[in-house]
Amino acid sequence: MITSLKNLGLALLFSAAAQAQEAKGLKEYYKDYFPIGIAVNTRSLEGAQADFIKYNFNSLTAENDMKMGPLQSREGVFNWTNADKIVDFAVKNNLKVRGHALCWHEQAGDWIFVDKDGKNVSREVLLDRLRTHIHTVVKRYKGKIYAWDVVNEAIDDDPNNLLRNSKWKEIIGEDFVEKAFEYAHEADPNAKLFYNDYNSERPEKVERIYTLLKRLKDKNIPIHGMGLQAHWSIFEPSREELEYAIKRYTSLGLEIHITELDVSIYKWEKERRKRLPGESDEYTPALQQAQTDKYEMFFDVFRKYKDYVTSVTFWNATDKYTWLDHYPVEGRKNYPSLFDINAKPKPAFWKVVNF
Ligand code: GLA
């Protein structure tokens, strides 16, 4: 009952927004530039939400359903239901699909690193499991998923280190990154393969990511692009930082995908979970204006580098729900999208489409 009322509410919301809609969907304005994508779950592909997505976007990413753990929660037991639904929806509606993500230190499924006694498996066993996972998943969607985030977030947060201390690195060694790309390429030689990371425009992190990517290129590892997650904010990155990052990565012959775009109204404080006493989460006109200016600048840069920026994907469709409502600070509302809580275009939308 509660669920169906909620669905009815959402349906009304999205259909009201559809009626009040602008002359064209977002993707139409960018048809001579790049596909405009959105991260989805299976509920977003029903009713009015599905119409909203089809109207505005022409590329899909699974928000969670193609990650390792959700796909293979136990060894050899693959749960295809949700991932299949997303791919079927895309095929039926002529949308592209970016696959996300084949190898990540989070949401990997606890079983993959350990034996039946809970002890770390050997390098050989883990490589074998990684190969099996990647081959099974990539082959299933061969010809339907045109690009994959092969390795997600391998660079450490600590500027003194290159790769983070994940189980992948601990058990396999640093070459787990190249192995993942090789397995993906074996499974679908036509798929475009990406390394994907956050804060990938912060000057010191650009250099560390560049070091990793250059190593891969120098070894002729099949990698075709750099994914900028683009969990950005009204504070960063600057135009200079963004342009520098794009130039640096593309100097290696890689293309750029913007893979998880949102523009938070707060500073990024990864370690903070609690709201401060009296901390407001009001979306003031000044914050909205700062966000509009950032969105305008970001898309201006994307268009300027359209020969290299070949896809732009948003992480949540509207301000009604966003992962940033509960992360990193619990219970603090955020407003990071181009569409407001009623799924209506915000001023930032109009700046992005009027160029
Ligand atoms: C990272 C991952 C995404 C998602 C977000 C949080 O950016 O790449 O898959 O989990 O965190 O929503």
Side-chain angles (χ1 to χ4, degrees):
M1 178 64 177
I2 292 178
T3 315
S4 61
L5 273 181
K6 199 171 153 205
N7 282 342
L8 180 65
L10 273 176
L12 286 173
L13 179 92
F14 279 95
S15 59
Q19 278 163 24
Q21 239 161 15
E22 62 291 357
K24 292 191 278 184
L26 184 53
K27 65 178 182 191
E28 282 298 314
Y29 294 92
Y30 279 90
K31 65 178 187 322
D32 297 330
Y33 289 84
F34 31 71
I36 302 279
I38 183 69
V40 295
N41 54 47
T42 52
R43 287 184 315 281
S44 5
L45 304 180
E46 287 163 15
Q49 281 194 74
D51 295 338
F52 177 82
I53 285 174
K54 284 187 280 182
Y55 191 75
N56 284 294
F57 304 97
N58 48 10
S59 175
L60 301 184
T61 299
E63 186 175 3
N64 285 299
D65 293 318
M66 292 184 194
K67 291 172 179 170
M68 296 186 96
L71 269 186
Q72 193 185 178
S73 52
R74 283 186 291 134
E75 182 155 28
V77 180
F78 285 86
N79 320 302
W80 301 113
T81 313
N82 291 351
D84 278 0
K85 267 193 197 152
I86 292 169
V87 172
D88 291 347
F89 180 91
V91 169
K92 186 164 152 238
N93 294 293
N94 207 14
L95 313 173
K96 289 171 160 293
V97 187
R98 293 193 80 260
H100 172 82
L102 296 172
C103 178
W104 189 25
H105 62 285
E106 286 182 33
Q107 290 180 269
D110 294 338
W111 66 269
I112 202 160
F113 303 112
V114 293
D115 63 19
K116 58 180 182 356
D117 302 320
K119 300 225 172 58
N120 278 358
V121 292
S122 65
R123 168 182 158 92
E124 286 64 37
V125 168
L126 190 55
L127 279 174
D128 199 51
R129 289 178 175 180
L130 181 64
R131 187 196 302 107
T132 302
H133 181 84
I134 291 180
H135 275 194
T136 310
V137 174
V138 173
K139 282 181 187 165
R140 183 177 184 90
Y141 299 119
K142 197 171 174 173
K144 294 181 177 166
I145 294 188
Y146 81 105
W148 276 102
D149 292 330
V150 177
V151 175
N152 199 26
E153 304 180 350
I155 296 287
D156 201 356
D157 286 333
D158 178 348
N160 297 309
N161 303 328
L162 190 65
L163 299 191
R164 73 172 69 241
N165 285 322
S166 65
K167 285 277 177 196
W168 296 110
K169 182 178 138 188
E170 182 190 331
I171 298 172
I172 296 177
E174 296 207 333
D175 62 342
F176 82 86
V177 177
E178 49 201 80
K179 295 289 184 197
F181 278 92
E182 283 171 355
Y183 299 153
H185 188 63
E186 284 162 16
D188 183 357
N190 293 320
K192 289 189 174 180
L193 306 181
F194 283 74
Y195 174 72
N196 193 46
D197 213 333
Y198 58 86
N199 293 343
S200 44
E201 313 69 33
R202 288 192 177 169
E204 70 78 20
K205 193 157 172 184
V206 170
E207 296 318 313
R208 286 185 297 138
I209 295 175
Y210 179 89
T211 300
L212 172 67
L213 299 177
K214 181 153 191 332
R215 260 187 213 173
L216 299 176
K217 290 295 286 183
D218 287 348
K219 287 184 161 179
N220 281 324
I221 302 298
I223 174 170
H224 311 105
M226 171 64 202
L228 311 186
Q229 287 189 0
H231 291 300
W232 293 334
S233 76
I234 60 173
F235 300 98
E236 65 173 335
S238 67
R239 175 186 285 270
E240 292 67 34
E241 286 167 343
L242 177 55
E243 291 201 29
Y244 178 78
I246 291 172
K247 286 188 215 153
R248 192 89 174 118
Y249 301 134
T250 56
S251 73
L252 291 166
L254 298 171
E255 56 187 283
I256 301 283
H257 279 188
I258 306 298
T259 57
E260 307 182 17
L261 177 60
D262 35 41
V263 180
S264 166
I265 61 167
Y266 307 105
K267 280 210 167 69
W268 181 240
E269 295 174 286
K270 192 176 176 184
E271 304 308 327
R272 179 146 82 90
R273 294 287 168 273
K274 294 269 170 281
R275 284 175 76 161
L276 304 172
E279 185 183 6
S280 160
D281 56 5
E282 192 193 341
Y283 189 34
T284 63
L287 288 171
Q288 172 137 335
Q289 185 59 52
Q291 185 188 48
T292 302
D293 294 346
K294 275 293 196 198
Y295 261 120
E296 183 179 16
M297 181 272 278
F298 293 147
F299 274 80
D300 191 44
V301 173
F302 300 159
R303 291 190 303 271
K304 176 173 172 188
Y305 292 92
K306 72 168 183 156
D307 290 344
Y308 304 102
V309 176
T310 49
S311 168
V312 175
T313 290
F314 290 81
W315 203 243
N316 292 122
T318 76
D319 288 345
K320 169 94 178 154
Y321 161 77
T322 154
W323 70 291
L324 294 167
D325 287 345
H326 50 82
Y327 187 82
V329 174
E330 287 158 13
R332 184 183 65 179
K333 179 73 190 135
N334 209 328
Y335 300 86
S337 323
L338 289 184
F339 297 92
D340 70 12
I341 54 170
N342 297 311
K344 294 219 184 70
K346 288 162 50 172
F349 174 94
W350 296 111
K351 286 291 182 192
V352 161
V353 300
N354 286 320
F355 54 87

